[in-house]
Amino acid sequence: MSSVKIECVVKEGYRIGESPVWDEKESSLLFVDITGRKVCRWSSVTKQVETVSVDAPVSSVALRKSGDYVITLGTRFAALKWKEQLVTTITQVDQDKSNNRFNDGKVDPAGRYFAGTMAEEIRPAVLERHQGSLYTLYSDLSVVKHFDQVDISNGLDWSLDHKTFFYIDSLSYSVDAFDYDIQTGKIGSRRSIYKMEKEESIPDGMCIDTEGKLWVACYNGGRVIRLDPQTVDKQETAYVGVFFPQGKRLQTVKLPVDKTTSCCFGGKDYSEMYVTSASDGMDKEWLSRQPQAGSIFKITGLGVKGVPPFPFAG
Ligand code: BGC
Ligand code: CA
């Protein structure tokens, strides 16, 4: 653990850096700046960032089997042709909620694009509650709503056996798990597998490693934490008379910025971790203490690898 190294690879004050995804074909890291309305691609070869500006908050980006990318833009799923800088709408959600936007999204192991919504914030983590929903875009471009009443739809990933879907609704301060049917893309019963400690603050983006452990970026917590979703720790929580075991925190890696937003594995063999961060909501004094707020970081020496991202099958 002593060889863990953190490096700032893109020193830029992105407003809400999010949705890091490794694009192996390009040896690049894709990510978005949600309120900055940008999709970015950092080349690990040239160390340069290419940017596509869009006309609404862009909250996640994913690879696409047919090449190019898919994004969540405002309340739309959209296709992005990188070279042409061309965005075309696939479909829209939350049509009755004009103050909503998509937030985090990720493709499941069968190529379905999961993404959830939230109300626009008055300031970070302050918003009208219960306005969001979780959706899936299937490869035939149809959309299914799984549930509503979400505050801030955030981190998502799937267990290595594809039988569990992990999900974060940030203001619940909990990392949850659902039974998952990879054949149909349907989710089953829900339980909490980890409750955040006070100093870990708000759970945001998340990814899984090849040992089946979860890495969660802690917004306002300035860290990523590694969780074992299976072990029993702390107090078992009583929930309608049933006892659900809580996962155990295995590791904490602190970063030089408070607003760590999301993480993914990438680089050679997926042995590096990339972490995005935000600067929205920080005043001058806070920013002067954390001049790297909004930057992209690379963590090496974790001694664990990640799972390559799945491309959208549509
Ligand atoms: C959202 C931000 C929000 C943060 C903390 C992010 O995923 O995009 O708008 O402030 O989570 O909940
Ligand atoms: Ca997020």
Side-chain angles (χ1 to χ4, degrees), residues 16 18-19 34 59 103-104 152-155 170 204-205 261-262:
I16 309 180
E18 277 279 4
S19 187
I34 301 180
S59 61
N103 200 38
D104 208 352
I152 300 181
S153 191
N154 244 321
S170 288
D204 199 332
T261 54
S262 192

Side-chain angles (χ1 to χ4, degrees), residues 16-18 34-35 59 101-104 118-121 123-127 152-155 170-171 202-205 219-220 259-262 278 280:
I16 309 180
E18 277 279 4
I34 301 180
T35 42
S59 61
R101 66 159 167 88
F102 264 121
N103 200 38
D104 208 352
M118 61 186 273
E120 283 285 6
E121 295 167 302
R123 53 176 194 277
V126 178
L127 74 173
I152 300 181
S153 191
N154 244 321
S170 288
L171 298 190
I202 300 174
D204 199 332
Y219 183 91
N220 282 345
K259 291 184 183 287
T260 36
T261 54
S262 192
D280 267 10

Side-chain angles (χ1 to χ4, degrees), residues 104 106 154-158 165-168 175-176 193 203-208 214-217 227 261-264:
D104 208 352
K106 192 175 277 179
N154 244 321
L156 48 184
D157 217 333
W158 289 264
F165 167 57
F166 298 106
Y167 178 69
I168 291 170
V175 180
D176 291 353
I193 56 122
D204 199 332
M206 145 169 85
C207 67
I208 197 159
L214 296 172
W215 290 83
V216 178
L227 307 177
T261 54
S262 192
C263 51
C264 79

Side-chain angles (χ1 to χ4, degrees), residues 175-177 191-195 228-239 242-248:
V175 180
D176 291 353
R191 64 254 175 210
S192 169
I193 56 122
Y194 186 77
K195 295 263 195 271
D228 185 339
Q230 247 125 43
T231 54
V232 180
D233 185 47
K234 300 189 206 167
Q235 255 184 338
E236 294 190 330
T237 41
Y239 182 67
V242 184
F243 288 92
F244 288 123
Q246 285 285 290
K248 185 182 174 201

Side-chain angles (χ1 to χ4, degrees), residues 21 62-64 106-112 157-158 162 307-313:
V21 177
L63 306 173
R64 194 169 190 174
K106 192 175 277 179
V107 175
D108 87 344
R112 310 174 184 102
D157 217 333
W158 289 264
H162 307 163
V307 177
F310 304 103
F312 175 59

Side-chain angles (χ1 to χ4, degrees), residues 143-217:
V143 173
V144 164
K145 186 196 277 199
H146 296 281
F147 50 81
D148 56 13
Q149 301 296 315
V150 177
D151 288 323
I152 300 181
S153 191
N154 244 321
L156 48 184
D157 217 333
W158 289 264
S159 63
L160 302 179
D161 66 6
H162 307 163
K163 287 182 178 164
T164 307
F165 167 57
F166 298 106
Y167 178 69
I168 291 170
D169 181 350
S170 288
L171 298 190
S172 71
Y173 293 87
S174 166
V175 180
D176 291 353
F178 292 84
D179 295 335
Y180 193 64
D181 183 344
I182 190 69
Q183 299 307 324
T184 61
K186 294 280 190 287
I187 57 174
S189 73
R190 181 177 192 163
R191 64 254 175 210
S192 169
I193 56 122
Y194 186 77
K195 295 263 195 271
M196 301 293 276
E197 306 270 352
K198 195 161 192 295
E199 66 277 11
E200 291 165 351
S201 204
I202 300 174
D204 199 332
M206 145 169 85
C207 67
I208 197 159
D209 66 32
T210 55
E211 294 173 8
K213 311 297 190 257
L214 296 172
W215 290 83
V216 178

